Amino acid sequence: MTAMEQIEQVLNTQVRPHLHAHGGDIVSLSLTDGIYRFQFLGQCSGCPSAYLTTEQVVAEALKEALPQLVEQVILVQEVSPSLLAQARAILGG
């Protein structure tokens, strides 16, 4: 099982149920040199509690289950290019 598959297994069992209960989800972006990067989706995206959720839910679960793989967890909050294009079309049209 690859490192990302192991991470997805932890996310599926320990993190996603919590996020789904709040109308959200998580997408893995990368794992490089022990640094796991991800984005929240749905209601969790842009939530004021996102950083708290990162520390208390995502980082805790991954570091506890996979300490040999995950040393740091980083929430990437950026707007996708497709969402920017849609906003530009609405505002320009």
Side-chain angles (χ1 to χ4, degrees), residues 16-90:
R16 283 196 171 97
H18 176 77
L19 299 177
H20 289 168
H22 296 275
D25 203 351
I26 186 171
V27 62
S28 297
L29 300 176
S30 66
L31 175 65
T32 307
D33 298 325
I35 301 171
Y36 171 71
R37 289 179 172 81
F38 73 96
Q39 286 182 313
F40 283 130
L41 302 174
Q43 295 297 315
C44 295
S45 177
C47 172
S49 298
Y51 286 104
L52 185 61
T53 301
T54 297
E55 288 302 315
Q56 292 185 345
V57 178
V58 181
E60 187 175 300
L62 291 175
K63 288 178 181 180
E64 184 176 309
L66 306 167
Q68 73 284 7
L69 293 177
V70 180
E71 296 173 21
Q72 187 177 5
V73 175
I74 297 176
L75 170 61
V76 177
Q77 290 198 32
E78 57 186 37
V79 178
S80 70
S82 62
L83 183 58
L84 280 175
Q86 183 180 10
R88 287 185 181 116
I90 291 169

